[in-house]
Amino acid sequence: MERVLASGLKDSIGKKVFVAGWVRNLRNLGKINFVSLHDRSGKIQAVVKDAGVAEELKKIGLEDVVKLEGKVNEDKRSKSGAELEVSKITVLSTSDRTLPVDVQGKTKTNFEHRFNHRVLDLRGEKGQAIFNVENTICQAFREHLISQDFIEIHTPKIIATGTEGGANMFPVVYFEREAFLAQSPQFFKQMLVGSGFERVFEVAAVYRAETHDTPFHLNEYVSLDLEFGFIEDESDVMKATQGVIQESLKRVREENRKELELLDVDLHEPKGDFPVIHYWDIPKVMTSFGKEFDVDEDLSREHEEILCKHAVEKFKCPFIFVDNYPASKRPAYTQPYEKDTRFTRGYDLLYNGLEITTGGQRIHDYELLRKKFAEKGFPLESFEYYFEVFKYGMPPHGGQAIGLERLVMKLLNLDNVREASFFPRDRKRLTP
């Protein structure tokens, strides 16, 4: 006898099988008892008619881990189309009868309290659905890029210098010297492009010691990074960004229909190219919405929301690229915009009112790169390991980084980015 998951119960009608999972609900209807069991694939409806087995059932409580043996019968009333008639119960593990979180979600639990008991919180159907969608996005990102001849890389997370200097970095004790947790794999991505791999990507955690305490920020988050060489300009990187986003949404629609229905998300795949707005054109858009904006200032959350509203109204698209960010708002390695060096070939991608991606063309000229680092006030000697590849031949290149949790937050209409992190790390939380 083999274990059958909830997703395969309908294919086992007429067979004797066993199922295993967590007890989510118990109902007594006189001579008949019902058990709702959950495994990694969904819900199993089981019925107990035998009096002896019913006595064993009385010893079971919510969230106990049990094994149920029996025959699978057709049941058109259940979503799975099948029901297990139980002939034997085996308790594998018992749960404390006082549950700090309502796993079924029938009663609302305090937000912070849910994260204090995150493992129980994640047993709920909605929590599982969020991360099934997240898994699909990561797989789509990987598989799409591999199909485009990219190679997956794994870069250090303990580093000597930051990609944007020492600000907003977490220091760590590294034997007799100070080191930092990586803000980004940026330098290593570029170095590996220049080492001859040409096209690289990484899915990994990054760390930002920012003091934000908002629904949009995490201090440790998953970054979907890519970098590739022999580009014309940042528009090639935008095409790559658009490609992985569109493929991800397509895969979610195809593979996560159950999750989207559970989360009440009507996901639309944008058709055609994402609209692009140049930074110097933002004031005109803001004026049309009754707001003021100066090209020397950074975008606020309100500005991002307005630009996305503009994209929906004019282009019927929830995404919009904001290209040519001011040099003062971009890292030293960003390629200047040749026609007006106050601006760069760096961009952000906004989605439903929030920045989810930062990218652009990088400087590939050795002397210009050193000059820009010096202008930003960085000690050049600390970055010689990074500059070296540019000294010995570097192609024009660019890349981008997608914040996974932010993308999922906006895609699923979540209220807080922490909902899209298994064990969120923010300014106040270090456990569990």
Side-chain angles (χ1 to χ4, degrees):
M1 193 182 297
E2 61 178 321
R3 183 189 178 196
V4 172
L5 295 174
S7 58
L9 204 63
K10 190 175 181 180
D11 297 328
S12 301
I13 291 174
K15 297 179 182 179
K16 287 188 176 181
V17 302
F18 80 84
V19 298
W22 288 265
V23 175
R24 201 52 45 86
N25 196 15
L26 294 162
R27 287 184 294 147
N28 185 315
L29 299 179
K31 293 183 179 181
I32 300 179
N33 293 273
F34 291 94
V35 183
S36 178
L37 203 68
H38 274 243
D39 63 21
R40 69 177 184 270
S41 69
K43 181 169 68 174
I44 297 166
Q45 183 70 32
V47 61
V48 177
K49 297 178 180 178
D50 182 272
V53 180
E55 283 299 312
E56 290 296 312
L57 192 64
K58 292 178 181 179
K59 303 172 186 178
I60 292 175
L62 298 180
E63 297 308 307
D64 284 356
V65 181
V66 301
K67 173 182 174 182
L68 304 179
E69 298 177 36
K71 182 182 178 183
V72 182
N73 299 320
E74 185 177 15
D75 183 358
K76 295 181 179 179
R77 296 169 300 176
S78 70
K79 285 187 176 181
S80 67
E83 181 180 71
L84 182 73
E85 186 174 340
V86 182
S87 58
K88 183 179 178 181
I89 298 174
T90 304
V91 177
L92 303 177
S93 176
T94 58
S95 168
D96 192 301
R97 296 301 181 246
T98 305
L99 296 172
V101 173
D102 179 10
V103 177
Q104 297 184 69
K106 292 182 178 180
T107 58
K108 192 171 183 179
T109 306
N110 173 274
F111 188 81
E112 292 298 333
H113 189 69
R114 284 176 46 213
F115 285 89
N116 291 338
H117 305 278
R118 184 60 165 157
V119 174
L120 274 179
D121 182 53
L122 287 172
R123 288 186 187 174
E125 284 186 296
K126 289 190 176 181
Q128 301 261 319
I130 290 168
F131 292 101
N132 284 337
V133 169
E134 198 164 283
N135 176 66
T136 299
I137 291 171
C138 288
Q139 291 300 320
F141 181 80
R142 280 191 171 94
E143 291 169 13
H144 179 76
L145 290 176
I146 289 171
S147 75
Q148 301 295 313
D149 207 26
F150 281 73
I151 184 173
E152 184 166 10
I153 59 173
H154 308 282
T155 61
K157 300 300 168 240
I158 301 175
I159 60 174
T161 55
T163 56
E164 296 164 26
N168 300 326
M169 297 183 69
F170 288 110
V172 296
V173 176
Y174 192 72
F175 301 104
E176 294 81 25
R177 58 190 292 198
E178 185 180 54
F180 303 92
L181 294 179
Q183 297 168 306
S184 161
Q186 182 60 45
F187 289 173
F188 299 102
K189 287 192 302 177
Q190 292 180 263
M191 291 158 68
L192 289 172
V193 167
S195 70
F197 288 102
E198 290 192 24
R199 295 180 161 220
V200 300
F201 75 91
E202 182 171 33
V203 178
V206 296
Y207 304 87
R208 299 291 175 105
E210 297 169 340
T211 57
H212 299 298
D213 186 13
T214 79
F216 311 106
H217 290 87
L218 291 168
N219 295 105
E220 177 185 52
Y221 64 92
V222 177
S223 184
L224 307 179
D225 276 87
L226 65 86
E227 200 83 16
F228 61 110
F230 298 97
I231 66 171
E232 290 296 324
D233 55 38
E234 77 276 18
S235 63
D236 288 340
V237 188
M238 290 183 190
K239 290 176 185 175
T241 301
Q242 179 177 305
V244 294
I245 293 287
Q246 289 179 326
E247 177 65 18
S248 296
L249 267 59
K250 176 176 175 287
R251 289 276 295 274
V252 168
R253 277 181 61 87
E254 292 173 350
E255 300 175 19
N256 298 110
R257 293 176 183 175
K258 180 180 71 174
E259 287 83 0
L260 294 175
E261 181 181 351
L262 178 66
L263 296 167
D264 193 26
V265 174
D266 185 12
L267 181 59
H268 295 283
E269 297 173 51
K271 306 299 181 183
D273 291 336
F274 298 169
V276 179
I277 185 170
H278 300 289
Y279 212 86
W280 49 77
D281 289 330
I282 294 177
K284 299 176 187 176
V285 174
M286 292 300 156
T287 299
S288 70
F289 282 87
K291 301 291 180 179
E292 293 184 359
F293 184 80
D294 191 288
V295 291
D296 291 328
E297 65 180 299
D298 207 351
L299 291 177
S300 67
R301 190 74 61 233
E302 182 184 24
H303 295 142
E304 291 176 345
E305 290 173 352
I306 291 173
L307 288 174
C308 285
K309 186 176 180 181
H310 165 72
V312 170
E313 291 180 355
K314 186 171 181 178
F315 303 101
K316 303 292 188 287
C317 182
F319 293 91
I320 184 169
F321 284 112
V322 180
D323 195 12
N324 307 117
Y325 260 76
S328 61
K329 310 298 181 186
R330 278 299 189 255
Y333 53 77
T334 310
Q335 176 72 21
Y337 182 64
E338 298 81 0
K339 295 179 181 179
D340 187 342
T341 55
R342 292 178 302 165
F343 300 98
T344 67
R345 291 194 174 275
Y347 68 82
D348 276 357
L349 176 62
L350 312 182
Y351 175 38
N352 283 340
L354 186 66
E355 174 257 308
I356 60 163
T357 303
T358 295
Q361 183 178 357
R362 325 301 191 187
I363 295 172
H364 65 277
D365 179 84
Y366 175 70
E367 294 297 341
L368 179 59
L369 186 64
R370 292 177 63 89
K371 176 185 175 184
K372 291 299 181 182
F373 268 69
E375 288 176 357
K376 292 278 188 179
F378 297 136
L380 299 186
E381 63 274 11
S382 297
F383 298 92
E384 291 299 340
Y385 73 94
Y386 165 63
F387 295 144
E388 183 181 32
V389 69
F390 297 88
K391 188 175 183 180
Y392 297 108
M394 188 71 165
H397 65 286
Q400 58 92 71
I402 300 171
L404 175 62
E405 292 88 348
R406 279 193 173 190
L407 172 58
V408 172
M409 175 191 179
K410 282 301 178 180
L411 189 148
L412 299 180
N413 301 321
L414 305 178
D415 293 327
N416 195 302
V417 70
R418 287 184 286 173
E419 298 273 15
S421 173
F422 282 109
F423 299 101
R425 292 292 177 261
D426 55 31
R427 189 177 178 184
K428 299 177 180 178
R429 184 167 294 279
L430 197 55
T431 59

